[in-house]
Amino acid sequence: MQVIAQAPVTLLVHGGAGTLRRADLSPTQECEYREILDQALRAGQTLLLQGGTALDAVVAAVCVLEDCPLFNAGKGSVFTHEGRNEMDAAVMDGATGQAGAVAGVVSVRNPVLAAQAVMQRSGHVFLMGQGAEAFARAQGLALEGPEYFHTAHRWQQLQTALAQNQVMLDHDGHRSQGQPAPEPIDRKFGTVGAVALDAQGHLAAATSTGGMTNKMFGRVGDSPLIGAGTYACDATAAVSATGAGEFFMRGVVAHDIAARMAYGGLSLAEATQATLHEKLDATGGRGGVIALDRHGHYQLAFNTEGMYRGVVQGEGPPQIAIYRD
Ligand code: ASP
């Protein structure tokens, strides 16, 4: 009888990709990022080792990152053109194919919990704006005022973005129809995400973001769109993306990786590299993905200078990286 070895429980996290060079972070800052990625991984790992589900593990890991102002999700979210924080999040359970997402929430402390609640208790997949807020309130989720989400460094990023926009757009802060959206100013995408494999062999994915600095009021990115920034299916892969969302939406990146595996028989590594380096590169899209299959094979892949990222398998210690080493 052939004995198939059980893959170890596995958790991957990302905290955004972009122009991340060694010179950009002081040793102290680097330590802070590493520490919080470590915390996120350990939070999910503890659950997985206790027999918890992949879904619970990705939500726990993302909550840690949402609560940390260093990342562009929950506290520390970037500002829209109008100076507001509008957040998006999604979860997907590879075991059941169920998914939940919220977009444009302004007061939900942990948008990923709202996405999970949408999946488990709304009968829908995607709630946006005031409807998502009302649902989160009715579910008893923690809400916060704008001051909770406001951080000085994100406000400064908006001021820089506004100033450069005025130059780029002839002192007109609004784009006219058909004009391409300007490149993100600081070229760092601080969105957070997690993918996990649990002891039952199930996969899950979660992603949470404040979007892009100086985004238009009402703009929604790829993170909460199932198949674009977030996807999970036990038969193929769990994927969470980060990068310039418009490219990830047009490329349906997360599902593209799973589809190459399902229809083309590619391995996780082949599928991820093909999607990133053949498809995304060709359109000029920049960013990265974390991807995991049910055998515990994983990818932390990006076409930018760096990506905040980490992985933990079984009882092993978290491994964390930031730059393209
Ligand atoms: N993908 C996100 C968005 O476009 C941004 C990010 O990854 O930081 O909203």
Side-chain angles (χ1 to χ4, degrees):
M1 191 178 78
Q2 195 195 0
V3 179
I4 299 172
Q6 168 77 43
V9 295
T10 304
L11 175 68
L12 277 67
V13 297
H14 72 75
T19 312
L20 294 167
R21 282 166 290 209
R22 273 208 168 69
D24 295 339
L25 291 181
S26 70
T28 314
Q29 285 172 317
E30 187 176 328
C31 251
E32 285 170 0
Y33 277 103
R34 284 179 174 275
E35 228 163 76
I36 197 77
L37 290 166
D38 186 272
Q39 266 180 42
L41 286 167
R42 287 184 194 277
Q45 180 187 35
T46 303
L47 290 175
L48 290 171
L49 290 175
Q50 290 166 348
T53 64
L55 183 71
D56 285 343
V58 292
V59 169
V62 166
C63 278
V64 170
L65 300 172
E66 284 181 337
D67 290 343
C68 171
L70 291 176
F71 298 101
N72 171 22
K75 186 173 180 64
S77 286
V78 299
F79 288 96
T80 64
H81 182 74
E82 288 75 15
R84 281 158 49 98
N85 303 111
E86 294 179 5
M87 298 165 286
D88 308 331
V91 297
M92 188 160 187
D93 183 353
T96 60
Q98 299 272 317
V102 293
V105 294
V106 297
S107 69
V108 181
R109 184 185 176 108
N110 291 106
V112 73
L113 292 179
Q116 185 184 23
V118 168
M119 179 179 102
Q120 292 175 332
R121 297 193 287 277
S122 75
H124 298 293
V125 171
F126 202 158
L127 295 178
M128 49 80 73
Q130 290 176 5
E133 293 277 334
F135 177 73
R137 194 173 311 118
Q139 291 295 313
L141 297 183
L143 305 179
E144 302 286 351
E147 64 291 341
Y148 170 81
F149 298 100
H150 185 112
T151 54
H153 68 290
R154 296 298 185 203
W155 186 252
Q156 190 47 51
Q157 275 175 6
L158 175 63
Q159 304 319 308
T160 309
L162 287 170
Q164 294 198 11
N165 239 2
Q166 283 168 356
V167 173
M168 247 177 359
L169 300 173
D170 285 329
H171 305 285
D172 176 6
H174 300 278
R175 286 183 291 283
S176 56
Q177 273 253 304
Q179 244 183 310
E183 270 281 288
I185 291 304
D186 71 349
R187 293 166 180 270
K188 290 187 195 69
F189 310 105
T191 288
V192 307
V195 294
L197 169 67
D198 63 29
Q200 286 71 44
H202 297 309
L203 295 171
T207 314
S208 180
T209 188
M212 306 231 283
T213 300
N214 199 20
K215 67 183 180 181
M216 284 177 74
F217 164 60
R219 178 267 186 187
V220 176
D222 61 312
S223 309
L225 291 187
I226 300 305
T230 307
Y231 187 73
C233 172
D234 276 4
T236 51
V239 182
S240 170
T242 173
E246 279 65 16
F247 293 91
F248 283 73
M249 286 188 272
R250 290 189 286 251
V252 203
V253 164
H255 185 262
D256 192 73
I257 292 171
R260 286 176 198 265
M261 296 172 73
Y263 312 146
L266 269 60
S267 69
L268 181 87
E270 290 165 344
T272 304
Q273 295 305 320
T275 298
L276 211 61
H277 297 301
E278 290 168 23
K279 188 170 185 176
L280 197 66
D281 277 354
T283 62
R286 298 174 66 254
V289 297
I290 51 174
L292 174 65
D293 72 15
R294 67 183 157 178
H295 306 294
H297 302 133
Y298 64 83
Q299 290 281 298
L300 301 134
F302 48 97
N303 66 2
T304 50
E305 282 84 345
M307 180 166 81
Y308 295 106
R309 61 198 188 278
V311 56
V312 70
Q313 279 200 302
E315 294 180 14
Q319 295 168 43
I320 289 156
I322 299 175
Y323 314 107
R324 180 180 289 288
D325 287 321

